[in-house]
Amino acid sequence: MESLARLGRFGLNNLASLGRSGMILFQAIVARPQPLTMFPLLVQQIYFVGVLSLIIIVVSGLFIGMVLGLQGYTILVDYGSEQAVGQMVALSLVRELAPVVTALLFAGRAGSALTAEIGLMKATEQLSSLEMIGVDPLRRIIAPRFWAGFICLPILAAIFSIVGIYGGALVSIEWLGIYDGSFWANMQNSVDFADDIVNGLIKSVVFGFVVTWIAVFQGYDCIPTSEGISQATTKTVVYASLAVLGLDFILTAVMFGEI
Amino acid sequence: MSHFEDVIIDIQQLSFSRSDRPIYNNVDIKIPRGKITAIMGPSGTGKTTLLKLIGGQLNPDSGKIYLDGQNIPTLNRRELFVIRERMGMLFQSGALFTDMSVFENVAFPLRVHTKLPEDMIRDIVLMKLEAVGLRGASELMPSELSGGMARRVALARAIALDPDIVMYDEPFTGQDPIAMGVLVNLIRRLNESLGHTSIIVSHDIQETLGIADYIYLVADSSVIAHGTPEELKEVNSPQVRQFMEGLPDGPVPFHFPAVDYHDDLLQRGV
Ligand SMILES: Nc1ncnc2c1ncn2[C@@H]1O[C@H](COP(=O)(O)OP(=O)(O)O)[C@@H](O)[C@H]1O
Ligand SMILES: [Mg+2]
């Protein structure tokens, strides 16, 4: 009985916070947009959220591409089809690894920073103080951060793909000695723009939306103390990662699972 | 107690609770226009909450908060925006925007609410900073200020728009004696020369008694006493005496409930 009540309360709390996060998203983004005042704030946030995440994305993309090249070669060489390694590297990056790994890295690098920053603004009464001056913190603080994340993640995922493919090429062509003509030609023949690139892009747009939404909501909704902020930051990384992996399965099933 | 000639804020039967815990229960408070009113009480009783209720940042469970006839909880966002132009609030922590310099912090409300040219904004900001003695710090970032300095910058920002009502949340905490004297004078001067209505939330009994025209003592989700400083000094209720004289023992317990002190100490030695 007690555990049933606890389950019910847990469900209700989660439902309530889902409702709150929806309201915040709506008020920050859909209702009364102000493109002119937001533009400079947006540029600044794109710098913080996107440009500063570049290094980790480029380095991870390079290594993952190189590992894919190596692994792909050792598997394919048994079947005498090591020429197809370019196709394997490109397809796994564009379809899966670039959107998913970028989103996970983004949640850890930028999402947690967004949550902590907004939470600290709440704890130090900066959000209240904006409100007393007559400025809606949802529009001034939340909206530009949300849009910045939403815009940056797909671009970062594309960069991840490109760097990863070059990493794969580096290992396959320079190190393992695969003929570069067949590496690139195989890749070109097998990667389809509509099926592979657009679907990968759709994934990263969805992930960008979800990860940034979770990050700004957790910051805005946190308990304004140091423990509260640290809890909220952890929640951002955990929830965002789980959401990305779960959604990835659903999206993959819809896009490639022929259902 | 409608003995004030001119009431600017009239709080009627205000009730507010936080997750089932009552913070205010049917409270009536009247703030006289152009005077300095102090709200005093033990920490955690909801003094900051009261200021946020007046500012329309929190909505009461029931009751009315009239500001010149407008009931704040019923206002929409746009009406609140207009009415907040008339209010300045000094937050407990200062709440400076950490990504802006001292100058930009003070200029911020002017940029939001007015279309003044840049050189006028500059003049006003420098005047306000001069008033709190920090004109020289205008190019510093908030992280480079001490707590007391940050609070004074926040005061300059709170009065940037020359509001009718200035709310001070614990303005004296963390100020050195000189800054404290300056602040007390500043609050009094703003009040006298500009006719501001001031609401001060404070623990510092001596300073507050010195400048307040009227005092409300809040505890246990209600107003336990109110009156002029002279009147309050005469009140005989033990709860009021305890607070005014700063005694640790009395109806308001200073100690968290615990086992007997001696027993507790002796047990350690066994
Ligand atoms: N955001 C909040 N969420 C939940 N409880 C809060 C929040 N802010 C304040 N409280 C609680 O409300 C009570 C009154 O707080 P406050 O108005 O800050 O007290 P005071 O300013 O008199 O010290 C405190 O017990 C505090 O724990
Ligand atoms: Mg307080």
Side-chain angles (χ1 to χ4, degrees):
Chain A
M1 202 59 214
E2 172 68 14
S3 64
L4 201 66
R6 209 174 303 142
L7 188 70
R9 198 153 47 233
F10 179 75
L12 282 181
N13 282 343
N14 277 340
L15 214 60
S17 89
L18 196 66
R20 276 203 308 281
S21 63
M23 291 267 294
I24 285 170
L25 189 70
F26 180 79
Q27 287 177 2
I29 292 138
V30 185
R32 301 161 289 124
Q34 285 185 313
L36 271 185
T37 43
M38 204 172 88
F39 189 72
L41 298 170
L42 180 63
V43 171
Q44 195 183 11
Q45 287 308 318
I46 286 181
Y47 176 75
F48 283 127
V49 167
V51 178
L52 295 184
S53 302
L54 261 179
I55 298 263
I56 186 175
I57 295 298
V58 166
V59 172
S60 315
L62 188 69
F63 279 125
I64 287 187
M66 284 162 62
V67 168
L68 279 176
L70 267 178
Q71 291 278 17
Y73 180 83
T74 50
I75 295 169
L76 292 171
V77 79
D78 287 345
Y79 305 96
S81 48
E82 69 271 18
Q83 305 301 326
V85 69
Q87 156 187 0
M88 203 208 98
V89 169
L91 282 182
S92 22
L93 276 171
V94 171
R95 284 185 177 183
E96 274 305 321
L97 288 172
V100 172
V101 176
T102 306
L104 294 179
L105 292 171
F106 187 81
R109 161 66 184 75
S112 58
L114 282 179
T115 305
E117 188 195 16
I118 297 171
L120 203 63
M121 285 185 177
K122 182 174 182 181
T124 54
E125 299 175 301
Q126 291 182 53
L127 297 185
S128 289
S129 162
L130 272 176
E131 219 170 292
M132 276 311 292
I133 292 172
V135 175
D136 186 350
L138 286 175
R139 275 194 277 171
R140 170 134 193 136
I141 304 293
I142 305 297
R145 283 168 176 74
F146 174 82
W147 283 117
F150 183 66
I151 293 169
C152 286
L153 186 49
I155 297 174
L156 290 172
I159 294 173
F160 189 100
S161 278
I162 294 168
V163 174
I165 287 170
Y166 273 100
L170 196 71
V171 168
S172 315
I173 297 167
E174 303 296 328
W175 186 10
L176 300 169
I178 290 181
Y179 174 53
D180 65 340
S182 53
F183 181 91
W184 296 115
N186 258 328
M187 186 187 298
Q188 228 166 28
N189 286 336
S190 61
V191 178
D192 184 77
F193 182 75
D195 276 353
D196 300 316
I197 298 183
V198 170
N199 278 344
L201 192 70
I202 292 176
K203 277 187 179 179
S204 61
V205 169
V206 172
F207 297 160
F209 181 88
V210 172
V211 170
T212 326
W213 181 18
I214 291 177
V216 296
F217 170 69
Q218 289 297 341
Y220 191 76
D221 201 52
C222 79
I223 300 165
T225 59
S226 30
E227 303 91 75
I229 294 171
S230 88
Q231 271 171 15
T233 314
T234 311
K235 275 190 194 165
T236 291
V237 176
V238 172
Y239 291 175
S241 306
L242 292 180
V244 165
L245 296 172
L247 280 170
D248 183 50
F249 174 72
I250 295 172
L251 289 171
T252 308
V254 172
M255 290 168 173
F256 303 103
E258 326 232 336
I259 43 170
Chain B
M1 45 147 270
S2 52
H3 60 273
F4 299 133
E5 293 152 21
D6 194 359
V7 173
I8 184 162
I9 296 176
D10 190 355
I11 299 176
Q12 299 175 359
Q13 281 158 15
L14 172 77
S15 294
F16 180 78
S17 53
R18 268 204 145 120
S19 46
D20 301 339
R21 202 162 64 83
I23 308 280
Y24 286 107
N25 188 9
N26 262 327
V27 169
D28 292 288
I29 291 176
K30 288 185 200 310
I31 310 281
R33 187 187 310 273
K35 298 273 163 56
I36 300 177
T37 305
I39 313 281
M40 304 183 78
S43 50
T45 44
K47 304 181 297 295
T48 303
T49 306
L50 182 67
L51 297 185
K52 289 190 173 173
L53 284 161
I54 294 174
Q57 293 191 23
L58 295 172
N59 269 328
D61 299 340
S62 64
K64 303 195 168 66
I65 302 169
Y66 286 109
L67 190 144
D68 277 336
Q70 277 183 296
N71 188 9
I72 290 174
T74 64
L75 300 182
N76 63 30
R77 274 185 178 276
R78 176 153 311 151
E79 292 164 329
L80 271 178
F81 180 82
V82 175
I83 216 165
R84 280 177 184 155
E85 200 177 335
R86 300 181 48 197
M87 300 184 196
M89 179 150 170
L90 175 65
F91 284 88
Q92 210 160 343
S93 58
L96 295 179
F97 304 130
T98 40
D99 56 345
M100 297 179 194
S101 68
V102 164
F103 182 94
E104 283 304 320
N105 262 284
V106 182
F108 187 78
L110 296 164
R111 297 195 200 284
V112 170
H113 283 277
T114 70
K115 293 201 161 49
L116 292 175
E118 194 53 34
D119 53 343
M120 270 183 84
I121 289 186
R122 192 184 126 84
D123 290 349
I124 297 175
V125 171
L126 292 183
M127 274 162 56
K128 302 295 174 187
L129 283 173
E130 176 74 16
V132 297
L134 289 173
R135 187 167 48 84
S138 71
E139 293 313 315
L140 297 183
M141 293 303 283
S143 56
E144 298 170 287
L145 304 176
S146 74
M149 286 161 83
R151 203 95 46 84
R152 275 147 67 196
V153 174
L155 176 56
R157 184 179 67 183
I159 59 174
L161 286 168
D162 286 323
D164 301 341
I165 303 163
V166 191
M167 299 190 267
Y168 305 87
D169 196 352
E170 317 258 0
F172 306 125
T173 318
Q175 298 292 350
D176 61 75
I178 299 174
M180 176 99 92
V182 171
L183 266 181
V184 170
N185 275 329
L186 185 64
I187 293 173
R188 193 184 282 135
R189 210 170 62 230
L190 285 171
N191 178 256
E192 281 168 2
S193 61
L194 297 171
H196 288 350
T197 301
S198 307
I199 305 175
I200 300 182
V201 159
S202 181
H203 285 124
D204 295 83
I205 297 166
Q206 287 320 315
E207 280 71 26
T208 312
L209 284 180
I211 60 170
D213 296 307
Y214 206 81
I215 296 174
Y216 285 89
L217 266 183
V218 290
D220 299 336
S221 33
S222 49
V223 174
I224 56 168
H226 57 89
T228 61
E230 290 69 35
E231 284 166 359
L232 277 196
K233 281 178 195 152
E234 303 305 317
V235 173
N236 273 324
S237 135
Q239 219 177 354
V240 176
R241 291 260 58 78
Q242 185 200 348
F243 189 80
M244 301 295 283
E245 285 154 26
L247 307 173
D249 283 309
V252 186
F254 164 71
H255 291 287
F256 198 79
V259 297
D260 185 81
Y261 188 34
H262 279 109
D263 291 351
D264 215 3
L265 288 179
L266 287 174
Q267 218 150 34
R268 279 282 178 88
V270 179

